[in-house]
Amino acid sequence: MYDVIIIGAGPAGLTAAIYLGRAGKKVLILEKNVYGGQIVNSKEVENYPAISKISGFEFSNNLYNQAKNFGAELKYETVVNLTKDKEVTTNRGKYQAKSIIIATGLSNRTLEIDGVDSFIGRGISYCATCDGNFFKDKVVAVVGGGNTALEDAIFLSNICKKVYIIHRRTAFRGEKILQDILNKKENVEFILNSNVVKINGNELLESIIINTNNEEKELQIDGLFLAIGQIPNNSYIDIIDLDEKGYAIANEDCKTNIDGIYVAGDFRTKKVRQLVTAASDGATAAINAIEYIERSDKK
Amino acid sequence: MIVINNNFKEEVLDYKGTVLVDFYADWCGPCKMLSPVLEEISNETDIKICKVNVDENQALAIEYKVMSIPTLIVFKEGKKELVSVGLKSKEEILEMIK
């Protein structure tokens, strides 16, 4: 029996583990992939208070070691079910806790057309900073209209021969300063009001078909970078109230509709999803979980 | 674990058995996260694991069409059997080399 099971070893989950460990609670963290969460993909973090610059990798390692030193146990298992009685079923076994903190974060949104998955790593990528160098002097396209898409396009424009930015609307959501940089780039071309409708290629990606105002056109490209946002990881949960977009409904107190089950980090309904707000949620959820356990133990 | 540097043929292609090859780069965060996982697998199993730095071995990266890192490729008797792109858990990797 654990005091608290934390699902997800990203910044929110690991911060919760630090607070719980310091309070002497017995903690199990379940992680389906590798600890660190999305921040692992960030080359540099410059907006975390008191740390002027750190790589996402180093940040994750520090955070994990800190949680581990306070006694948290980490198992690499995938959660398949969670009950109101705080029993967690994974692909390997069943675990019981007094309280649960859900911190499973978000995954990259994919294009809803055939063949995307089979071209991941063969021309399609979600990470321009990771994979951009493989497309040196080649032709690539970025799909999306937010800051990530614009930042990816800027990064790629310094490496690739040509960068298309494909966006389904007429205007970008991303910051104007980024758009201004891109406007000045000679090798960047905007394709607005457009959707990618088909992906072509054999072993590697060769071209895409884009639809602009109901007219289809083929675009020869070597690389396609997807920056079309993220979706919550909620497939294993059926007892928690979710909003229409699939996020777990909770206020700043991180309390879900079930007593003793908390949600922390990007998976919670909130406006600002940042490293520092994820950590903040981790602390709040942990402190509320401690109070809940102490209340229940007295009964 | 064996670092590949002009010895890909001897260590991977000519090897009688299964080799797990990790294509990585020093600047890639997810690759660094994968590294200790591979270290564990290397210590706990007798699977041969080789590491290819894509910056120093561009020809190999091109030959094996590596366009995203980390990429793991399983070779059996010198033949490419399975390709996996992105960060994978220990369990998923063990499944690949079964």
Side-chain angles (χ1 to χ4, degrees):
Chain A
M1 169 76 113
Y2 291 92
D3 287 317
V4 181
I5 291 176
I6 299 169
I7 309 173
L14 291 173
T15 303
I18 292 170
Y19 275 76
L20 293 164
R22 288 194 76 221
K25 300 297 171 201
K26 192 173 179 221
V27 175
L28 172 66
I29 310 171
L30 296 169
E31 167 60 48
K32 70 169 176 178
N33 198 271
V34 187
Y35 63 77
Q38 295 176 71
I39 199 66
V40 165
N41 293 313
S42 289
K43 207 161 180 246
E44 263 166 12
V45 177
E46 293 184 325
N47 56 7
Y48 200 86
I51 302 176
S52 49
K53 198 181 263 187
I54 191 167
S55 71
F57 164 73
E58 208 182 338
F59 184 90
S60 305
N61 259 354
N62 291 352
L63 189 53
Y64 168 66
N65 286 325
Q66 200 175 350
K68 199 172 74 175
N69 290 340
F70 282 117
E73 179 185 350
L74 176 71
K75 286 186 191 223
Y76 291 105
E77 298 183 23
T78 304
V79 173
V80 292
N81 194 38
L82 168 65
T83 71
K84 289 181 179 178
D85 301 324
K86 286 104 185 164
E87 186 187 72
V88 181
T89 308
T90 72
N91 56 334
R92 293 240 182 116
K94 279 189 200 298
Y95 304 96
Q96 181 69 51
K98 294 173 183 168
S99 176
I100 305 279
I101 296 175
I102 303 170
T104 43
L106 312 178
S107 293
N108 288 316
R109 184 188 296 280
T110 185
L111 285 174
E112 283 171 8
I113 51 176
D114 287 341
V116 174
D117 287 346
S118 63
F119 281 105
I120 300 290
R122 298 196 291 137
I124 298 183
S125 170
Y126 292 101
C127 182
T129 52
C130 311
D131 301 335
N133 282 321
F134 294 107
F135 299 89
K136 195 170 183 291
D137 300 324
K138 295 198 167 167
V139 180
V140 300
V142 176
V143 186
N147 275 348
T148 308
L150 300 180
E151 283 167 4
D152 283 358
I154 293 171
F155 178 83
L156 292 166
S157 70
N158 296 323
I159 302 169
C160 305
K161 185 163 78 182
K162 172 97 189 177
V163 179
Y164 295 101
I165 306 176
I166 302 165
H167 184 39
R168 63 194 160 116
R169 303 190 196 283
T170 43
F172 291 107
R173 260 180 303 114
E175 289 168 31
K176 190 174 174 297
I177 182 169
L178 301 173
Q179 294 179 45
D180 290 345
I181 295 170
L182 286 166
N183 278 327
K184 290 190 192 120
K185 299 260 185 184
E186 282 181 0
N187 62 341
V188 172
E189 187 179 327
F190 297 92
I191 304 178
L192 301 174
N193 282 319
S194 302
N195 289 300
V196 180
V197 292
K198 195 167 183 290
I199 290 164
N200 299 318
N202 290 310
E203 204 179 349
L204 299 176
L205 174 71
E206 287 164 14
S207 73
I208 53 173
I209 308 284
I210 47 175
N211 181 315
T212 310
N213 303 323
N214 290 323
E215 265 182 51
E216 292 196 347
K217 183 181 142 191
E218 187 172 11
L219 208 59
Q220 306 287 335
I221 54 170
D222 303 294
L224 181 67
F225 289 85
L226 303 181
I228 47 176
Q230 289 155 321
I231 48 168
N233 292 323
N234 57 17
S235 56
Y236 60 95
I237 299 172
D238 52 10
I239 54 167
I240 301 293
D241 289 345
L242 307 175
D243 74 358
E244 73 283 355
K245 287 180 178 163
Y247 292 90
I249 298 170
N251 292 324
E252 265 171 59
D253 59 15
C254 298
K255 291 180 182 170
T256 67
N257 55 305
I258 295 171
D259 217 14
I261 300 186
Y262 303 89
V263 58
D266 284 359
F267 182 33
R268 180 168 77 81
T269 47
K270 59 170 157 179
K271 189 179 167 198
V272 181
R273 294 192 169 85
Q274 289 283 312
L275 201 48
V276 69
T277 63
S280 159
D281 275 8
T284 306
I287 289 165
N288 283 332
I290 293 164
E291 283 178 11
Y292 171 81
I293 292 167
E294 284 169 2
R295 247 187 355 255
S296 317
D297 284 349
K298 270 186 206 149
K299 276 178 196 165
Chain B
M1 289 197 284
I2 295 160
V3 177
I4 295 296
N5 188 8
N6 293 325
N7 52 350
F8 190 76
K9 187 174 180 300
E10 297 91 291
E11 297 292 355
V12 180
L13 299 182
D14 293 345
Y15 185 73
K16 301 283 170 235
T18 304
V19 190
L20 179 67
V21 184
D22 170 30
F23 288 84
Y24 75 101
D26 291 331
W27 41 263
C28 155
C31 301
K32 288 185 189 168
M33 301 300 295
L34 191 62
S35 212
V37 178
L38 295 176
E39 195 81 47
E40 266 184 49
I41 293 173
S42 173
N43 292 336
E44 291 167 15
T45 68
D46 45 17
I47 281 289
K48 182 171 178 179
I49 300 178
C50 294
K51 293 179 73 70
V52 176
N53 183 319
V54 294
D55 290 327
E56 291 162 12
N57 297 277
Q58 289 189 8
L60 279 178
I62 291 167
E63 186 178 345
Y64 288 96
K65 302 192 168 61
V66 174
M67 295 179 124
S68 180
I69 45 174
T71 285
L72 295 171
I73 303 183
V74 177
F75 287 84
K76 281 190 177 153
E77 315 294 327
K79 286 215 172 64
K80 183 169 97 174
E81 283 273 323
L82 208 62
V83 181
S84 149
V85 176
L87 206 43
K88 291 280 141 67
S89 69
K90 186 176 164 185
E91 191 177 48
E92 287 170 309
I93 297 170
L94 289 173
E95 194 63 37
M96 279 175 68
I97 53 183
K98 246 186 190 168

